[in-house]
Amino acid sequence: MKNLASALRNKSKFLILGCGFSGNFFAKTIRKLGFTALTSSRTIKKDQNSFVFNSEEGRVPNDKIFDGVTHILSCIPPDKNGRDPVLGSLKSKLKSLPLEWVGYLSTTGVYGNTEGDWVSEIDKPNPLQKRSHKRLNCEKEWIESGLPVQIFRLPGIYGPGRSTFEAIKNQKIRVISKKNQVFSRIHVADITNAIIYLLQNKDSLKFHQIINIADDEPCSQEEVIQYCYDLIGLKMPKPILFEDAKKELSPIAQSFWMENRRVSNKLLCKTLGYKLIYKNYKVGLKNCFLNI
Ligand SMILES: NC(=O)c1ccc[n+]([C@@H]2O[C@H](COP(=O)([O-])OP(=O)(O)OC[C@H]3O[C@@H](n4cnc5c(N)ncnc54)[C@H](OP(=O)(O)O)[C@@H]3O)[C@@H](O)[C@H]2O)c1
């Protein structure tokens, strides 16, 4: 990590568009490495590094924000029409900048349902949900923008402050059992570190425009919840069969159970040589547990 400064020009400046869970983690890390990172939110924040960008209200950053920007990470999801909010509002501005790199956080939802099979970047996207069609459209917009974009496809993101522990604490946990169903996931620290690793080794690694960032062990939700209860030292509630639980789930929650896939990280971890900090949910959740 300490080589990032020498891999990038010293005066690299990052803009993080959409400073939510992942964007905030990335911004904090990159600042610790000595870089400037400005972050956007839809509403005014006290933080002096924060600026307002709200595509729905047409609130765009002033030109000064973009001065000297070399790297951009967009963490903003598609708008309701399936268009990319950043490109819709800021494309010509971004194209006028001497950008070295643009990262876009996408989702592995674009692969659709593989009935538990592994999917990798060479598989053709086959979105099932409307939101995943929208996402694929945004990926396409970014690729066609002519900007130096790299797309990161992410499965379920978790980390300190957003994990099964919070669901247990807030009594929002439902233990659902569905035969052969797995989910892939990624710890937020690995999103940041993988991106930094790729930037750091930009000159020696072959460029890949689309990269999955996922951990090594897709598994059932039940296993994950059981592990959290074991760490807390409480008894897990009895699992409910999916067929019985289904009618009480919101349409969005139901839609997640309609897709079953194992997301491969071979490109990132074997071909490109990134070493995961949290290779599976056990080590990742231990980290969350220690930070409750
Ligand atoms: N959560 C997951 O498990 C998961 C899994 C795979 C992929 N993803 C995708 O990966 C990306 C990062 O995920 P995350 O969970 O870290 O995101 P997040 O916490 O939900 O943050 C999203 C950010 O986008 C901003 N935003 C949303 N709509 C906007 C608009 N119209 N104009 C300007 N800003 C807007 C939000 O602004 P405010 O800060 O003002 O709210 C927020 O900062 C997202 O695109 C997400 O859909 C998420």
Side-chain angles (χ1 to χ4, degrees):
M1 197 82 84
K2 60 183 183 296
N3 299 331
L4 186 65
S6 52
L8 303 178
R9 287 183 302 124
N10 279 343
K11 40 183 203 319
S12 294
K13 175 176 164 185
F14 287 76
L15 272 201
I16 320 298
L17 298 171
C19 188
F21 192 60
S22 313
N24 188 38
F25 199 100
F26 186 86
K28 280 188 173 159
T29 309
I30 208 87
R31 280 185 201 126
K32 276 189 204 145
L33 295 172
F35 293 94
T36 300
L38 303 185
T39 56
S40 86
S41 292
R42 281 173 290 187
T43 48
I44 298 172
K45 294 264 152 55
K46 273 192 188 142
D47 179 358
Q48 58 173 6
N49 291 308
S50 175
F51 62 91
V52 172
F53 170 51
N54 188 330
S55 72
E56 281 154 17
E57 293 175 3
R59 298 177 74 184
V60 295
N62 64 42
D63 281 354
K64 234 177 128 226
I65 296 289
F66 295 96
D67 274 355
V69 171
T70 50
H71 294 71
I72 289 186
L73 180 66
S74 173
C75 313
I76 300 180
D79 70 15
K80 58 180 185 316
N81 301 314
R83 307 297 307 270
D84 186 81
V86 174
L87 292 173
S89 308
L90 299 170
K91 185 158 130 190
S92 52
K93 181 71 207 173
L94 301 195
K95 291 207 71 155
S96 73
L97 304 173
L99 290 174
E100 291 175 25
W101 176 89
V102 178
Y104 174 65
L105 300 191
S106 178
T107 87
T108 53
V110 297
Y111 293 119
N113 180 20
T114 62
E115 296 182 359
D117 280 349
W118 288 93
V119 276
S120 76
E121 298 81 347
I122 55 167
D123 292 306
K124 199 167 175 284
N126 186 19
L128 181 67
Q129 313 293 342
K130 219 173 182 180
R131 63 174 180 276
S132 307
H133 281 278
K134 292 178 180 175
R135 184 65 76 160
L136 192 59
N137 186 57
C138 291
E139 285 193 357
K140 197 165 159 260
E141 282 186 40
W142 276 105
I143 291 169
E144 288 172 358
S145 69
L147 290 159
V149 72
Q150 195 159 36
I151 292 170
F152 302 102
R153 289 185 177 153
L154 311 171
I157 304 168
Y158 74 101
R162 197 206 265 180
S163 74
T164 307
F165 293 112
E166 279 69 33
I168 295 174
K169 195 172 134 208
N170 300 327
Q171 300 187 323
K172 286 206 171 131
I173 203 83
R174 255 205 202 98
V175 191
I176 296 172
S177 174
K178 191 175 178 211
K179 205 171 165 224
N180 299 326
Q181 171 82 40
V182 294
F183 293 99
S184 294
R185 48 189 72 73
I186 189 69
H187 190 292
V188 67
D190 272 310
I191 302 174
T192 285
N193 276 32
I195 293 175
I196 291 176
Y197 170 84
L198 294 170
L199 286 174
Q200 193 179 332
N201 295 290
K202 206 168 158 225
D203 293 339
S204 58
L205 293 175
K206 183 169 178 252
F207 178 78
H208 290 264
Q209 193 162 43
I210 297 179
I211 300 179
N212 296 337
I213 311 182
D215 77 13
D216 284 343
E217 289 180 38
C219 71
S220 73
Q221 194 210 51
E222 203 179 325
E223 269 176 86
V224 169
I225 301 175
Q226 179 67 67
Y227 186 71
C228 288
Y229 273 95
D230 289 348
L231 281 181
I232 305 171
L234 291 175
K235 195 171 171 340
M236 184 177 83
K238 206 168 164 268
I240 313 162
L241 289 177
F242 175 71
E243 285 312 316
D244 297 331
K246 204 163 107 179
K247 47 189 176 296
E248 281 170 29
L249 295 179
S250 65
I252 180 107
Q254 275 193 36
S255 71
F256 283 108
W257 289 88
M258 296 295 117
E259 296 183 5
N260 188 12
R261 61 180 169 267
R262 289 177 162 82
V263 178
S264 167
N265 62 19
K266 271 195 188 146
L267 172 61
L268 176 69
C269 298
K270 295 248 159 53
T271 311
L272 298 170
Y274 174 68
K275 281 200 176 51
L276 288 160
I277 311 172
Y278 303 106
K279 62 188 169 109
N280 59 36
Y281 70 91
K282 290 190 178 170
V283 278
L285 285 168
K286 256 188 205 148
N287 165 261
C288 300
F289 184 61
L290 294 173
N291 286 286
I292 286 179

